[in-house]
Amino acid sequence: MIKTVKGRAFVFGHNLDTDQIYPGRYLELTDAEDVGKHAMEGADPDFTRKFKAGDIIAAGSNFGCGSSREQAVLTLKTNQVGSILAESFARIFYRNAINLGLPVLICPGVSQKVTNGDTVTIDLAAGLVVNERTGQALQAEPLSAYVIKIIESGGIAPLIKKEYADK
């Protein structure tokens, strides 16, 4: 059971839109490896070179605003983002992330309490976020047991397939 996520933080500001997460000029790409090469390119062109599997994105408000395309979430999932913490999310991005199995938590104040390179530990069920460098704990909105089940399954489609296969 996925209960905690721990990784280095990559911090971004407010209103990070889907074109910054996955630039529209790459929409024709279909291979997951090719898609993943362009994650966060609009905000940090070196992101994929610096990022390691399990690391965490922290941001201000309105993360994922812009279009409703799922590629923005897929490019982050392809890079094995451990979790995204933001002060708020664009509604469609948030739902796409859950449906595709990427943990996202609303965490007030996170963009001011975490800096690039800090190690962060997140208890997904409790919504507890601890900055290991400062020792400061933040309270995020915890994920429900069903959302954690979706994430553990790798997304809503694999969960539904498994549930029907078990019947």
Side-chain angles (χ1 to χ4, degrees), residues 1-3 77 95 97-103 124 143-166:
M1 176 177 198
I2 300 170
K3 185 171 178 176
K77 191 167 177 184
R95 196 62 232 184
I98 298 294
N99 287 346
L100 293 172
L102 179 61
L124 298 174
L143 300 180
S144 71
Y146 190 68
V147 167
I148 290 174
K149 186 176 178 180
I150 292 170
I151 291 166
E152 288 175 341
S153 298
I156 193 80
L159 175 63
I160 299 299
K161 286 178 186 174
K162 181 183 180 308
E163 287 183 354
Y164 277 101
D166 291 344

Side-chain angles (χ1 to χ4, degrees), residues 84-154:
I84 303 172
L85 301 167
E87 293 169 16
S88 67
F89 290 89
R91 185 182 177 118
I92 294 173
F93 180 91
Y94 184 84
R95 196 62 232 184
N96 283 342
I98 298 294
N99 287 346
L100 293 172
L102 179 61
V104 288
L105 285 87
I106 298 169
C107 186
V110 70
S111 70
Q112 302 301 311
K113 305 292 184 185
V114 174
T115 60
N116 274 323
D118 286 353
T119 299
V120 176
T121 301
I122 306 166
D123 181 325
L124 298 174
L128 183 63
V129 177
V130 176
N131 182 331
E132 301 292 340
R133 180 182 62 82
T134 65
Q136 187 170 26
L138 302 168
Q139 184 61 55
E141 292 182 15
L143 300 180
S144 71
Y146 190 68
V147 167
I148 290 174
K149 186 176 178 180
I150 292 170
I151 291 166
E152 288 175 341
S153 298

Side-chain angles (χ1 to χ4, degrees), residues 8 18 22 24 26 37 44 46 55 59 64 79 81-82 85 97 100-101 105 119 124-127 129 134 149 151 155:
R8 290 177 308 146
T18 51
Y22 186 68
Y26 302 117
K37 292 176 184 173
D44 179 355
D46 295 326
D55 284 342
N79 280 280
V81 170
L85 301 167
L100 293 172
L105 285 87
T119 299
L124 298 174
V129 177
T134 65
K149 186 176 178 180
I151 291 166

